[in-house]
Amino acid sequence: MSRKVSGYLISPEALHERVKELAEEIRRDYTGRSPVFVGVLKGSFIFLADLVRHLGDLDVRIDFLAVSSYGMATESSGEVQILKDVTIPVEGEDVLLVEDIVDTGLTLKYLWDLFQQRHPRSLRICVLLDKKERRVVEVPVHYVGFEIPDRFVVGYGLDWAERYRHLPGIAFVEEEE
Ligand code: PRP
């Protein structure tokens, strides 16, 4: 059994357009504020990088958090570990958590609770992809790029066993004999 990446579910052009729209919405919402964007590694690295380049003169600060939940498998274990924490103190700040995908919601629920305990001024979540039908815990997601079906996807930061993150669009992975 091997795996192959088939055609794009979301093309690079469609990603570009939607990310730009999201950035404009976020820029409007945070006008006059100095938010701290927290990219959740590794999956969010391309999305965050593209998103912040459409923020114009918004006084944004950027930090990263590394978590591990899936390991090398394709299913969520529900076990969330902080591998690297943020370095910007978030107390009293407007914090936006930026993720590539929300699936079961376990990762973001854990991070939501963790960041609430740090007493930010406000806390919001932005995800590029939402696999809504897979949700097992409620988590407030304020900005969503695309809702997608329950299929394994890679590209634009998302991996399969650490591969395919570099693809410029979002693609399905299919198993073949
Ligand atoms: C992915 C994604 C989220 C999480 C979402 O991370 O980036 O963090 O899974 O799934 P959930 O809603 O079921 O918790 P992954 O563990 O694949 O790590 P990566 O970001 O390093 O690719």
Side-chain angles (χ1 to χ4, degrees), residues 40-44 67-71 76 99-108 134 157-159 162 165:
V40 184
L41 296 171
K42 302 174 189 171
S44 70
V67 298
S68 171
S69 56
Y70 283 33
S76 176
E99 258 285 28
D100 55 342
I101 187 165
V102 56
D103 187 339
T104 63
L106 291 166
T107 306
L108 276 171
R134 291 258 309 161
L158 287 90
D159 72 314
E162 299 300 336
R165 292 193 197 273

Side-chain angles (χ1 to χ4, degrees), residues 15-144:
L15 283 169
H16 178 82
E17 281 311 306
R18 184 68 187 123
V19 171
K20 203 169 144 202
E21 281 175 8
L22 276 178
E24 279 161 9
E25 191 183 340
I26 291 167
R27 182 154 74 116
R28 276 197 303 275
D29 291 353
Y30 287 91
T31 299
R33 313 232 61 95
S34 303
V36 177
F37 284 26
V38 177
V40 184
L41 296 171
K42 302 174 189 171
S44 70
F45 80 105
I46 295 180
F47 175 42
L48 181 70
D50 281 350
L51 189 71
V52 297
R53 279 181 283 184
H54 295 292
L55 293 174
D57 57 3
L58 188 72
D59 181 28
V60 64
R61 286 162 291 164
I62 298 165
D63 207 338
F64 293 95
L65 181 81
V67 298
S68 171
S69 56
Y70 283 33
M72 297 296 278
T74 57
E75 288 292 312
S76 176
S77 60
E79 295 286 321
V80 179
Q81 270 184 295
I82 301 286
L83 302 177
K84 179 219 168 296
D85 209 337
V86 290
T87 56
I88 299 174
V90 297
E91 184 173 347
E93 302 288 355
D94 292 299
V95 177
L96 182 69
L97 296 174
V98 180
E99 258 285 28
D100 55 342
I101 187 165
V102 56
D103 187 339
T104 63
L106 291 166
T107 306
L108 276 171
K109 176 70 169 80
Y110 177 85
L111 292 177
W112 176 265
D113 292 344
L114 177 72
F115 275 74
Q116 286 291 14
Q117 288 162 21
R118 296 176 175 181
H119 305 293
R121 180 178 181 275
S122 69
L123 183 61
R124 287 188 169 192
I125 290 175
C126 173
V127 300
L128 178 67
L129 305 174
D130 185 356
K131 260 191 204 175
K132 223 173 194 163
E133 61 193 274
R134 291 258 309 161
R135 200 78 88 257
V136 298
V137 287
E138 285 290 314
V139 62
V141 181
H142 305 86
Y143 305 98
V144 178

